[in-house]
Amino acid sequence: MIKSMTGYGIGSQENGKVKYTVELKSLNSKFLELSLRLPKAVSDKELALRSEAGKLIERGKVNMMVTVEYADQTAKASTINAELLGKYYKQLQEIATQLGDTDASLFALALDMPEVVTAKDDTVDEEEGRVLMDAFYAAIAKFNKFREDEGDILKNDVEGRVNMIMTYLTEVESVEGSRIPLIRERLSHYLDEAVGKENVDMNRFEQEIIYYIDKLDVTEEKVRLRSHCNYFIKALSASDSNGKKLGFISQEMGREINTLGSKANDAGIQQIVVRMKEELEKIKEQLLNVL
């Protein structure tokens, strides 16, 4: 079954101390283009997330955003070394007095001095890492389900259009029977007017007619087009169905439709061919969004 490259999924996981939420959004792309927004605390998990995303998402322009909430809001808060801050502040006051500068923002300067403010360890432990990955897998499950549901909609639309092309092919066959006799009659009429009926070599005329009609024969194109259409529909429901494979089949369909139109030499058939091309173009547009 086919999947859409358009997807959305959000998953959350918590353990009482921390809650991680992972949100995934994707659009169509020939390759996997993954953009991550991670909290600094889990930046060391980026490679693991990219690796898993590559296996489970495959293709698409994907945005992944990870957010974290701690039950204890001070769990990751920075600490201030008050004793060191006081020493810096006192020294700055003495220097300012000696220089006669009373307008200096001494507290702000002291706060910016080395080792006054110390951030707690930004890395996460093994348990917190599992919470993050569980949230990621929950988001992936919903994301892929969204893609499958969108894929069903695409499948129904594309399959209907392929069936329409085969309906048009049946119309071609229904009007094709009168095409050759009309061509034969038209050529005979032109020849009679040009050289006179009594001067026509009928044996040579029949040979030329056979040669000309052979050039206009579209039997092979019809057989191949119907075969490609049937293969396309079969591939839609295959377990390994993918947009690239379907795109290749649609290209083959297009070649047969183009040849059919160029060889037809009939206004009615060429009008039907135009309708076939319209359906095929819509199919190709939809396939751009198939995984």
Side-chain angles (χ1 to χ4, degrees):
M1 300 295 288
I2 65 173
K3 293 181 181 178
S4 169
M5 272 194 281
T6 301
Y8 178 80
I10 185 168
S12 297
Q13 193 70 25
E14 56 184 307
N15 64 355
K17 296 179 181 179
V18 63
K19 176 182 179 181
Y20 278 99
T21 300
V22 177
E23 185 177 18
L24 293 164
K25 299 177 182 178
S26 75
L27 298 173
N28 61 307
S29 174
K30 290 183 178 180
F31 310 100
L32 176 61
E33 301 177 47
L34 184 59
S35 174
L36 274 70
R37 292 177 59 189
L38 303 174
K40 186 178 179 182
V42 293
S43 58
D44 61 324
K45 301 296 182 183
E46 180 174 348
L47 288 178
L49 289 169
R50 285 188 178 276
S51 176
E52 288 299 292
K55 298 174 187 175
L56 301 172
I57 296 176
E58 297 179 50
R59 285 198 300 141
K61 186 175 183 179
V62 183
N63 288 314
M64 182 192 306
M65 184 172 66
V66 178
T67 56
V68 59
E69 300 174 45
Y70 290 96
D72 179 4
Q73 295 298 324
T74 64
K76 294 292 181 179
S78 299
T79 57
I80 297 175
N81 188 329
E83 183 179 354
L84 186 59
L85 174 63
K87 289 181 179 179
Y88 278 133
Y89 185 71
K90 185 177 180 181
Q91 290 177 15
L92 289 169
Q93 278 185 320
E94 293 173 354
I95 294 171
T97 300
Q98 293 173 8
L99 297 175
D101 184 358
T102 58
D103 297 326
S105 301
L106 301 181
F107 183 80
L109 290 173
L111 200 60
D112 284 337
M113 297 300 285
E115 299 183 10
V116 172
V117 179
T118 305
K120 289 191 176 180
D121 185 10
D122 280 335
T123 60
V124 299
D125 56 28
E126 186 176 344
E127 180 185 355
E128 190 171 330
R130 280 198 299 268
V131 175
L132 168 62
M133 295 309 294
D134 287 345
F136 168 75
Y137 290 126
I140 282 287
K142 293 179 181 178
F143 176 82
N144 283 330
K145 181 62 169 60
F146 187 103
R147 280 185 155 188
E148 289 173 3
D149 292 342
E150 288 290 305
D152 286 339
I153 296 172
L154 286 174
K155 176 180 179 294
N156 292 333
D157 181 74
V158 171
E159 187 173 357
R161 297 189 186 281
V162 174
N163 285 325
M164 184 60 68
I165 289 175
M166 287 199 286
T167 299
Y168 290 144
L169 183 56
T170 302
E171 291 183 19
V172 169
E173 292 170 333
S174 68
V175 301
E176 188 191 9
S178 61
R179 181 172 63 108
I180 299 303
L182 287 174
I183 292 172
R184 181 188 181 92
E185 182 181 346
R186 188 164 63 244
L187 290 175
S188 178
H189 178 70
Y190 291 157
L191 194 58
D192 290 346
E193 287 187 346
V195 300
K197 189 171 185 180
E198 65 280 358
N199 297 321
V200 176
D201 183 343
M202 294 308 296
N203 289 331
R204 179 64 184 274
F205 177 70
E206 290 296 334
Q207 290 174 1
E208 295 295 335
I209 284 291
I210 291 171
Y211 176 80
Y212 187 64
I213 289 174
D214 183 62
K215 291 294 184 181
L216 299 178
D217 184 62
V218 293
T219 301
E220 291 184 9
E221 287 73 18
K222 291 186 299 179
V223 170
R224 286 197 293 262
L225 178 56
R226 180 169 281 109
S227 175
H228 292 327
C229 287
N230 287 328
Y231 184 41
F232 188 100
I233 291 175
K234 182 179 179 182
L236 271 176
S237 301
S239 58
D240 62 343
S241 181
N242 61 76
K244 290 182 179 179
K245 180 178 180 179
L246 294 171
F248 294 146
I249 301 172
S250 70
Q251 288 177 11
E252 294 302 317
M253 292 164 59
R255 289 191 183 96
E256 301 306 330
I257 291 172
N258 287 333
T259 306
L260 181 62
S262 63
K263 291 176 69 174
N265 195 28
D266 180 89
I269 292 177
Q270 288 171 337
Q271 289 174 6
I272 297 173
V273 166
V274 168
R275 295 201 290 272
M276 286 183 177
K277 289 182 178 181
E278 288 176 349
E279 294 299 328
L280 185 62
E281 283 304 308
K282 292 174 183 176
I283 289 170
K284 289 180 178 180
E285 288 176 8
Q286 294 287 45
L287 292 181
L288 293 175
N289 201 33
V290 173
L291 185 62

